[in-house]
Amino acid sequence: MEFTSRQIAELLGGRVEGDESTKVNRLAKIEEATEGAISFLSNPKYEHYLYSTGASAVLVNNSFSPKEPVSTTLIYVEDAYASLSFLLEEYNRMKTYSKIGLENPHFLSENATLGANCYVGAFAYIGSNCKIGDNVKIYPHVYIGDNVSIGSNSILYSGAKVYADCQIGAHCTLHSGAVIGSDGFGYAPLSDGTFKTIPQIGNVILEDHVSIGSNTTVDCATMGSTVIHSGVKLDNLIQIGHNVEIGKNTVVAAQTGISGSTKLGENCMIGGQVGIVGHITLADRTSIGAQSGVGGSIKVSGKAFSGSPAFDYKTNLKSFAVYKKLPQLMKRIEELEEKIISLTPVDLTK
Amino acid sequence: MEFTSRQIAELLGGRVEGDESTKVNRLAKIEEATEGAISFLSNPKYEHYLYSTGASAVLVNNSFSPKEPVSTTLIYVEDAYASLSFLLEEYNRMKTYSKIGLENPHFLSENATLGANCYVGAFAYIGSNCKIGDNVKIYPHVYIGDNVSIGSNSILYSGAKVYADCQIGAHCTLHSGAVIGSDGFGYAPLSDGTFKTIPQIGNVILEDHVSIGSNTTVDCATMGSTVIHSGVKLDNLIQIGHNVEIGKNTVVAAQTGISGSTKLGENCMIGGQVGIVGHITLADRTSIGAQSGVGGSIKVSGKAFSGSPAFDYKTNLKSFAVYKKLPQLMKRIEELEEKIISLTPVDLTK
Amino acid sequence: MEFTSRQIAELLGGRVEGDESTKVNRLAKIEEATEGAISFLSNPKYEHYLYSTGASAVLVNNSFSPKEPVSTTLIYVEDAYASLSFLLEEYNRMKTYSKIGLENPHFLSENATLGANCYVGAFAYIGSNCKIGDNVKIYPHVYIGDNVSIGSNSILYSGAKVYADCQIGAHCTLHSGAVIGSDGFGYAPLSDGTFKTIPQIGNVILEDHVSIGSNTTVDCATMGSTVIHSGVKLDNLIQIGHNVEIGKNTVVAAQTGISGSTKLGENCMIGGQVGIVGHITLADRTSIGAQSGVGGSIKVSGKAFSGSPAFDYKTNLKSFAVYKKLPQLMKRIEELEEKIISLTPVDLTK
């Protein structure tokens, strides 16, 4: 997508100083910008970059007046930083929702329904009885099993996989390689040492505004539903076990694993590479530090934990500080033992 | 799939009390069931749910008699719990093996062979010289490279990838995004700081009844085979390095990594997010706690380990208990040091 | 691919003793080889295997003379080990680059360009304005978004995904399920507890000779580029956050995660399952032990670290040695406390 400085200025209600026909097709930082990029100057600390920038156009505040000659096109706006955020949003919206229509070949089951303004990329697969809302973007190689519903404005990037019977809400994003609804890990040991597979016949429900990162896996429930409530954001390569429930607006960083039947509260912040055992409950607004291992329920809301197994965050910091000095501590104990011996009276009666 | 209460009763050798034509299409817990679901009551503790359940039908024991009026259809059977397990199995079998035939477009190399009752989903790819057994289910977007063999009754869900020359046994399950046979991570450092790629020309062998979770990766051997023996169950997002061998019926939880050339014994239980270094051996029936790091061979079978690096499970628990009190321990040592000084006689000769 | 012993000998400048027409189609270790395999004998320690090997042909040094009758075909060469390496390379090159041409159906946008000798597998997708170099191998189910460039001799295995606007260098390898350019994990908390998505409009740049393992994810920059410099090797299931930069020839083992905006130096060695926090810098030639957590910048190059949080590798080993003995240490402190009490004079004035 390409725009002239004049079009940008009109969009932002601004004024151009310089060549109104300069074309821009991307956003960039003022110190890294090259031809075709539009940048912004808000913090006076970066003003010196303005005089040497490669940007084709730069947003500046109405209150700004250059101290040196400027070769790039300037677009004067009320608030350069806010205008940039606005442009970012617009650019992102156009980029994300611009694809419309059906590419061939695709596979759309006869009794599946598609809303208005959808995109179905080549090689995408939509199974029987699927209900796809308006403005849903289904990229190439996406697989949607039978009986799946997807709410409006959701985006499934190339290669996302949704098993049969799952429900995806509105405004959800599934990145490439995300797997929704694969079998939970349930096996019953038999007396001969082999394992019997426990049928996993439940599904996954993603409510609205849920984001699932690349290659993240969310297992279906053994029976019932694994539920990811609205507003939850999962980063890449996360594992969510069967029958897990994640409360509204909880955020989980990359490579974390949550075992079966565990329930996370709302607005929790879970760091990267955390492990959480099965069948426990975490209270609302719990924070877990990266690489921690949570082995039991957390009942009081709003607390921070770290370590493996995890305990109170600050206490852990203190224990770790001592851990780093353990060899010296050992030496001090040995010295104490020697001194004690030297102080102990010799028993002359023996 | 939909059944009447009468059909269910006939399948189970039971007797209907209520409307024989009630239709059910899924299984659910008695407290969560809604219209169209069939549930069960076995434990008397849950009897009160029977009188308010939304289930369209409920399995009960022949010995049961309700104490209050019941509005749902009851199906009397010898053992309600066992009958539910039976229904679960049947439902799962039907769900899993119901797909038959070839969807278009698919890619089947001329000299590949397909057994009876296979399913090949749209956009699935089957390379040259592949031999696919009876009743194999190949979902959309599955990739099967050249010279691959797959035993009967195996299921490859959408997007599973099998590199050329690998062998998959019978009754195996590969979930979405599983990658079998990608190159092992082998690089030889050169004097200029760059790395030379060591050719990885081996393959992967999965024996029978092996399950591979979503987005789990199993690298091919440098030469020879990476071998996953029969009955092994791997959860999601696991990494198996080149030339690894995993013994029969060993179970590995999510996000664990096993480095190159390591050999695991039979019937081991490996927790989630465990790391195991390369070139070591673990004895049969070894248990490794979640998030542990195994740095050396384990020679005695049937032992439990935890920690990073891992050591005896119980000793580790004791060490960790002291770790949490390290700041207090430090204080006690400081107090001892002060007391010792106060006890030490002053040397008056100085 | 199948060759006669005579063809192999000609390729290696060697001499056949035995049947020149024996056919071989793979390489194998002398102790594991079966019919159709070629093997080698270099170390005299393994000579006894020669007399019972199932290999159809074995490479031996010109200086070697068998002490017992040999039933397999021998190929005499100057250096059997070097000849095997040469064969390995040739075999690998043929295996990797043998695919040429376009399989149907594929999706190639009208204004995309393909170099000479490319392979485009069935169901591969190449978006608008893509520029694909010579000899690039694009396996089935690969997705290449709009405006992507890929340098010559790169290989994208089945199911690799490259988002729009990314740049892939020459001689790169992307294994199955690798995701390049998915959105960075950026969310701004709002006062009502929900999160606003921060647009991620940057891209990913892979320079030349970069290897990306199966199901590894590399997020695009928020603005600008996430950069993986030339010669970097990433193993499977690794997470690279937005705006990360990885220096030349750095090697990262499986399941490691690197958070947003962190910069790794050149020739670093990062172990498996390591976590590195965001916005820090690691000096060149830094080594990080497996399962470590790096929480701060490392400024001096060439040092080794381990632990979570990570600190000096050797000091950590010493601390861990004491950690394992903490319960005994606790006991020694208790004994000291008792002895101190017994030594402290009773205050008779009280």
Side-chain angles (χ1 to χ4, degrees), chain C residues 55 60 63 70 88 113 122 127 158 165 204 235 238 250-251 276 289 332:
Chain C
V60 294
S63 59
V70 172
L88 256 175
T113 60
S158 180
D165 303 319
V204 174
D235 201 350
I238 287 170
T250 279
V251 175
I276 304 182
R332 283 160 70 178

Side-chain angles (χ1 to χ4, degrees), chain C residues 167-183:
Chain C
Q167 298 170 26
I168 312 287
H171 294 278
C172 287
T173 302
L174 272 66
H175 277 285
S176 283
V179 178
I180 307 298
S182 49
D183 284 356

Side-chain angles (χ1 to χ4, degrees), chain A residues 11 68 151 162 208 306:
Chain A
L11 185 69
E68 299 180 24
V162 183
D208 301 341
S306 72

Side-chain angles (χ1 to χ4, degrees), chain A residues 123 125 143 146 161 163 177 182 193 196 201 215 219 237 239 255-256 274 292 308-309 316 319 329 332, chain B residues 27 89 99 103 123 141 157-158 175-176 211 214-215 236 249 251-252 255 267 273 291 320 323 330 337:
Chain A
F123 316 124
Y125 183 102
Y143 169 78
D146 300 340
K161 309 291 177 194
Y163 278 54
S182 48
K196 189 175 140 48
I201 66 159
N215 289 341
D219 282 348
L237 293 165
Q239 151 70 358
Q255 297 178 317
T256 282
V274 167
S292 299
S308 174
N316 195 1
S319 282
L329 215 72
R332 282 161 70 178
Chain B
L27 295 149
E89 297 285 347
K99 301 250 178 200
E103 290 173 353
F123 316 124
H141 312 119
Y157 285 102
S158 180
H175 276 285
S176 284
S211 278
S214 299
N215 289 341
N236 300 346
N249 301 321
V251 176
V252 184
Q255 296 178 317
N267 290 92
Q273 298 182 335
Q291 295 192 324
F320 189 76
Y323 171 80
M330 177 67 117
E337 287 168 337

Side-chain angles (χ1 to χ4, degrees), chain A residues 27 89 99 103 123 141 157-158 175-176 211 214-215 235-236 249 252 255 267 273 291 320 323 327 330 337, chain C residues 123 125 143 146 161 163 177 182 193 196 215 219 237 239 255-257 274 292-293 308-309 316 319 329 332:
Chain A
L27 295 149
E89 297 285 347
K99 301 250 179 199
E103 290 173 353
F123 316 124
H141 311 119
Y157 285 102
S158 180
H175 276 285
S176 283
S211 277
S214 298
N215 289 341
D235 201 350
N236 299 345
N249 302 321
V252 183
Q255 297 178 317
N267 290 91
Q273 299 183 333
Q291 296 192 322
F320 189 76
Y323 172 80
M330 177 67 118
E337 287 169 336
Chain C
F123 316 124
Y125 183 102
Y143 168 78
D146 300 340
K161 309 291 178 194
Y163 278 55
S182 49
K196 189 175 140 47
N215 288 341
D219 282 348
L237 292 165
Q239 152 70 358
Q255 296 177 318
T256 282
V274 167
S292 299
S308 173
N316 195 1
S319 282
L329 215 72
R332 283 160 70 178

